[in-house]
Each structure stands twice: as structure tokens, then as C-alpha cells.
């Protein structure tokens, strides 16, 4: 699906205080009849390895919405779930993303979209929503980290995603220029002197690998791979032994996997350990495309692997604000579903919902009005005491990016993603 074809298709604090206070206190807002029902869609892969994390995100969003009585201001809110994966792909699929984008525009009741999970899917959907005749239609992502969606990165970015010249995309997590840099800085801090960088050849993987490579060079690390994003791995291969046999003579201290676990990450990991040794002998680091996957965490080959997450892990959210809205929500989630959410992005899905609800509260209830609420005037800010992220959440009216640059460094210990520390990009 080419971008050219797709582009042819054609007071807030008070309101948010009411919503968030109702949840924190366990109260239900007034049941006065709402004048209009609006639909907020979620658009994530609900097939393949990332199902568990994305299912947790949908459940978290539904729980939060239920806790506020399904209303904001004078509007009733309902949810509609979209799957942007296919059984054939076992992950997000470009064709399905294109179909979903058209479906969002066609569904007159939809007011905004939470998603997508994968940056490559967002690059397909955003231009379609941008050209919505009734919009542009707002998308707020909980997990996209590729910088090019909002800032200069590759040629033509980000303007190619906004053909009508108006922004309609925001996100509540930081970007890979920060995540990749943090990972490289952390690698140096643990004594890594040389690294071989791999990428899964997709938008997200190439972007985060490029950011890691750039910063690794700045930090004085020897980058043994060639090219700005390192060497690509083919997700369709059944075995990667030959790839690592070529890397072995270079004797890297670390291998960096820039990409998503869905792209045959299990086989890649198996070959890495078989040829180069376990993760104490040759360290392994991967970005958030490998977080939130039970299959990865439970794999004996993953023991000791380092991970980065483009935000604050649930553990850090609770530690930083044990009595805050986020900690209380995570406790309510476990009470409701009898287990913790998988990965750290589900709480960011709720943060995306908070942004959309705030935008609705200060809008006229139209797609155009909701989008303008985020990108004009004072925009949208969720106060620290009300934000499920435990800190003030502000969306830039210029770019749609969150102003927070939080990164978490984790390690797989005992089959569990374990938080090591928060990392501030230097």
C-alpha cells in the first residue's frame, strides 16, 4: 500500500479533573442524559505475539471508561475495537491498516482513535485520517516511537503524513531518538566497548537502530555493523545461524536487536545464543519492540537480556507516586482482571484515552473540534495529580509529542521484565 494511493483517500482542566477525580475516588459522574454518543476506537494488533499486551491495553481502556460512567461533559462515550493484524502476518499488516483507516473515516459515530501500536501502521493510517472531510480525525498513540511521525527524520517527514497541512496525530510516549540514545548511553555505562546492530527492516526497527547507532558512535563505542541502521534481518528466514557466524569473528561485546519480537525474534534470539553465547558472554539489548511479550521473557535464551522502554515502567510509576492515579488504577486493574496488565503500554493506552477525553470536553463534539482542541490554543494538559502516568502530561500543539522524555531500562530476570532504572538522556 503506497503512501501516494493513501493520500488520495479522502475549561479542559476542570473537565479532566471531574473525570479523573471520579476514578480516584471511585465515584460515578452525574447520570444526567448525555446529548450525544461518541465512539472512541482502538486500533492495535489482536493476533500474534503482541496479543497479550494489546488485549491488556483494551481492557485497561475499557476499565477506565467504565470507572467514569462512560461520559465526559455532555457526551456519552463508547468503544470500538479494531484489529490491525492478520492471521497470515501474525502481526500488524499494511493492508489491514489501510482498511482500518478507511473504516474509521466511514464510521460517522467515531470521534478519535487510540493507536496504533506499530509506527509503520500509523504511517499508513494518519494520512487517511488527516484527509477526512469531517476532520481531520484525531489519533493518539500509546506506543508509536518512530520520530518521523512528528519531526524531521527521513526525507519528507513528517509533512508527508499531513497532506492537508494540519496536524491530527499525537502520542503519549517519547520517541526513538531518545530511546535509542538512552540505550547506547546505558550500554557504555555497563562497560560495552563494541556492538553489532541489527534491524528488522521495518519503519520502527530501522528508526530505533539508527538512533542507537548514532549515539553509540558519539559515546565512543565501536559499531561493527555498517550503515546507519546496522544490518537487516529477514523475518521470513527459519534460521539465523549463518548471520551470527559472520558476526562471531568480530567479537562484539553486545548485539542490539532493533525491531519487534513479532518479526521472528524468537529464532533470532535462539541463533544469537547458540553461536555467540548467552547474554553474560555477549550482551544483548533490545528496544520496547521486545517488551510486553511473555514468550520472549520466558525463553531461557532471553535470560539477562537488557531492554529499553519508551516511558516509565509500571514499577516506576508506582514507586514514584504510590498513592497517585496510576498506582490506584493498576491496583483496580488487578482486582478486576485477577492479574497485572502485560507490559507497560496498557497504562499508556489509558493516558491516550485521558488526552482524548480532555479534548472532547473542550470541543464541540465534532472530529474537527476534537482535533483542534489538541492542536490549538493551550492544547491539552493532564495535571500530575490526575494523570495515570503520575506526572503532568502535556501534548505539544506544534508537534503532537509529549513533552516528557521518560525511558526505562529493564532486564529479563527469572522470566520477568525487571526494572533496573529510569534513564535520563544525557
Amino acid at each position: 500500500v503506497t503512501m501516494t494511493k493513501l493520500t488520495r483517500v479522502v475549561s479542559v482542566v476542570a473537565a479532566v479533573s471531574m473525570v479523573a477525580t471520579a476514578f480516584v475516588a471511585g465515584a460515578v459522574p452525574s447520570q444526567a442524559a448525555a446529548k450525544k454518543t461518541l465512539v472512541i476506537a482502538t486500533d492495535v494488533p489482536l493476533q500474534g505475539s503482541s496479543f497479550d499486551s494489546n488485549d491488556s491495553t483494551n481492557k485497561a481502556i475499557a476499565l477506565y471508561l467504565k470507572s467514569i460512567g462512560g461520559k465526559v461533559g455532555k457526551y456519552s462515550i463508547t468503544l470500538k475495537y479494531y484489529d490491525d493484524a492478520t492471521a497470515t502476518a501474525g502481526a500488524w499488516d499494511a493492508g489491514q491498516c489501510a482498511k482500518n483507516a478507511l473504516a474509521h473515516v466511514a464510521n460517522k459515530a467515531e470521534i478519535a482513535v487510540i493507536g496504533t501500536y506499530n509506527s509503520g501502521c500509523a504511517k499508513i493510517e494518519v494520512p487517511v485520517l488527516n484527509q477526512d472531510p469531517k476532520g481531520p480525525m484525531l489519533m493518539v498513540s500509546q506506543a508509536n516511537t518512530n520520530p518521523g511521525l512528528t519531526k524531521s527524520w527521513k526525507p519528507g517527514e513528517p509533512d508527508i503524513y499531513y497532506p492537508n497541512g494540519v496536524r491530527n496525530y499525537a502520542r503519549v510516549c517519547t520517541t526513538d531518538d531518545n530511546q535509542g540514545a538512552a540505550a547506547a548511553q546505558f550500554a557504555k555505562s555497563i562497560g560495552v566497548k563494541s556492538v553489532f546492530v541489527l534491524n528488522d527492516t521495518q519503519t520502527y526497527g530501522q528508526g530505533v537502530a539508527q538512533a542507537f547507532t548514532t549515539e553509540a558512535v558519539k559515546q565512543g563505542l565501536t559499531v561493527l555493523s555498517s550503515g546507519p541502521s546496522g544490518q537487516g534481518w529477514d523475518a521470513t528466514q527459519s534460521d539465523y545461524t549463518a548471520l551470527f557466524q559472520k558476526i562471531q569473528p568480530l567479537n562484539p561485546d553486545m548485539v542490539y536487536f532493533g525491531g519487534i519480537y513479532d518479526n521472528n525474534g524468537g529464532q533470532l534470539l535462539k541463533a544469537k545464543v547458540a553461536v555467540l553465547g548467552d547474554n553474560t558472554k555477549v550482551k544483548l539489548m533490545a528496544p520496547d519492540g521486545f517488551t510486553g511479550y511473555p514468550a520472549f521473557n520466558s525463553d531461557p535464551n532471553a535470560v539477562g537480556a537488557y531492554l529499553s522502554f519508551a516511558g516509565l515502567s509500571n514499577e516506576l510509576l508506582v514507586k514514584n507516586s504510590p498513592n497517585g492515579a496510576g498506582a490506584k488504577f493498576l491496583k483496580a486493574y488487578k482486582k478486576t482482571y485477577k492479574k497485572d496488565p502485560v507490559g507497560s503500554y496498557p497504562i499508556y493506552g489509558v493516558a491516550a484515552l485521558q488526552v482524548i477525553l480532555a479534548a472532547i470536553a473542550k470541543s464541540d463534539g465534532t472530529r474537527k473540534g476534537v482535533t483542534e482542541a489538541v492542536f490549538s490554543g493551550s492544547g491539552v494538559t493532564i495535571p500530575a495529580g490526575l494523570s495515570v502516568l503520575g506526572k503532568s502530561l502535556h501534548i505539544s500543539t506544534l508537534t503532537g509529542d509529549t513533552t516528557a522524555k521518560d525511558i526505562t531500562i529493564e532486564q529479563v530476570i527469572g522470566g520477568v521484565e525487571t526494572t533496573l532504572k529510569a534513564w535520563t538522556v544525557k
Side-chain angles (χ1 to χ4, degrees):
V1 178
T2 66
M3 193 61 65
T4 301
K5 290 181 180 178
L6 286 172
T7 52
R8 292 174 184 161
V9 180
V10 195
S11 134
V12 64
V13 173
V16 177
S17 296
M18 177 197 73
V19 170
T21 302
F23 172 76
V24 173
V28 177
S30 170
Q31 296 301 307
K35 291 184 178 181
K36 186 177 181 181
T37 297
L38 304 176
V39 174
I40 296 175
T42 71
D43 196 317
V44 295
L46 295 175
Q47 300 177 72
S49 301
S50 64
F51 169 79
D52 296 281
S53 179
N54 288 313
D55 182 58
S56 292
T57 297
N58 279 345
K59 288 177 177 175
I61 290 168
L63 178 62
Y64 186 86
L65 188 60
K66 181 179 179 181
S67 76
I68 63 169
K71 294 182 180 179
V72 59
K74 61 184 180 181
Y75 303 106
S76 287
I77 308 295
T78 60
L79 298 172
K80 182 174 175 61
Y81 305 115
Y82 288 78
D83 182 3
D84 58 42
T86 62
T88 300
W92 76 276
D93 177 81
Q96 190 60 48
C97 292
K99 291 178 182 178
N100 285 4
L102 294 173
H104 292 313
V105 173
N107 186 346
K108 295 181 180 180
E110 281 187 34
I111 198 72
V113 182
I114 296 174
T116 57
Y117 182 71
N118 301 96
S119 296
C121 186
K123 289 186 175 184
I124 292 170
E125 293 201 24
V126 172
V128 179
L129 304 187
N130 186 260
Q131 296 177 93
D132 173 12
K134 300 292 185 182
M137 189 175 187
L138 177 67
M139 174 179 277
V140 182
S141 176
Q142 77 283 14
N144 294 160
T145 53
N146 183 266
L149 283 159
T150 55
K151 60 184 82 173
S152 296
W153 190 245
K154 290 187 176 181
E157 292 182 335
D159 292 345
I160 58 174
Y161 308 119
Y162 310 99
N164 75 1
V166 178
R167 295 290 180 109
N168 63 306
Y169 170 87
R171 51 183 156 195
V172 295
C173 59
T174 193
T175 49
D176 285 333
D177 45 345
N178 295 314
Q179 180 176 198
Q185 291 169 10
F186 171 75
K188 182 178 181 180
S189 77
I190 59 173
V192 171
K193 292 182 171 57
S194 63
V195 60
F196 196 98
V197 179
L198 294 168
N199 75 81
D200 64 2
T201 75
Q202 290 188 352
T203 295
Y204 160 77
Q206 289 180 329
V208 72
Q210 178 180 335
F212 178 90
T213 299
T214 299
E215 185 63 25
V217 171
K218 289 182 180 179
Q219 293 294 320
L221 276 62
T222 299
V223 178
L224 301 170
S225 48
S226 60
S229 301
Q231 182 169 333
W233 83 78
D234 181 355
T236 65
Q237 284 186 220
S238 59
D239 183 77
Y240 298 96
T241 299
L243 170 63
F244 286 102
Q245 286 175 339
K246 291 181 179 178
I247 296 172
Q248 188 177 34
L250 301 175
N251 295 314
D253 295 330
M254 172 181 277
V255 176
Y256 183 79
F257 290 177
I260 59 176
Y261 180 72
D262 305 79
N263 285 331
N264 218 7
Q267 288 300 315
L268 190 73
L269 174 65
K270 179 181 178 181
K272 181 271 173 192
V273 172
V275 178
L276 301 183
D278 66 25
N279 302 319
T280 59
K281 182 178 181 180
V282 176
K283 296 177 175 63
L284 171 65
M285 189 158 194
D288 55 351
F290 277 72
T291 66
Y293 290 91
F296 175 76
N297 295 332
S298 62
D299 190 330
N301 292 311
V303 173
Y306 294 105
L307 300 167
S308 61
F309 169 68
L312 293 175
S313 67
N314 294 339
E315 292 83 356
L316 287 174
L317 287 174
V318 173
K319 180 181 178 181
N320 292 347
S321 186
N323 296 310
K328 291 180 179 179
F329 179 79
L330 289 169
K331 183 177 181 180
Y333 183 101
K334 188 169 186 177
K335 180 179 180 180
T336 301
Y337 300 114
K338 311 306 179 188
K339 60 181 180 180
D340 293 318
V342 176
S344 296
Y345 276 124
I347 197 78
Y348 279 78
V350 176
L353 176 62
Q354 287 189 310
V355 169
I356 292 173
L357 292 175
I360 292 172
K362 66 179 296 190
S363 77
D364 60 2
T366 65
R367 290 179 182 177
K368 181 180 179 182
V370 170
T371 300
E372 287 180 345
V374 175
F375 291 96
S376 63
S378 59
V380 169
T381 298
I382 312 299
L386 307 175
S387 169
V388 291
L389 301 183
K391 62 195 307 183
S392 177
L393 171 60
H394 177 68
I395 301 298
S396 167
T397 57
L398 296 177
T399 65
D401 282 321
T402 173
T403 54
K405 297 181 180 180
D406 298 310
I407 301 291
T408 299
I409 303 297
E410 302 177 323
Q411 188 173 26
V412 178
I413 302 174
V416 178
E417 286 177 38
T418 303
T419 297
L420 294 184
K421 61 179 69 179
W423 193 270
T424 302
V425 179
K426 302 175 179 63

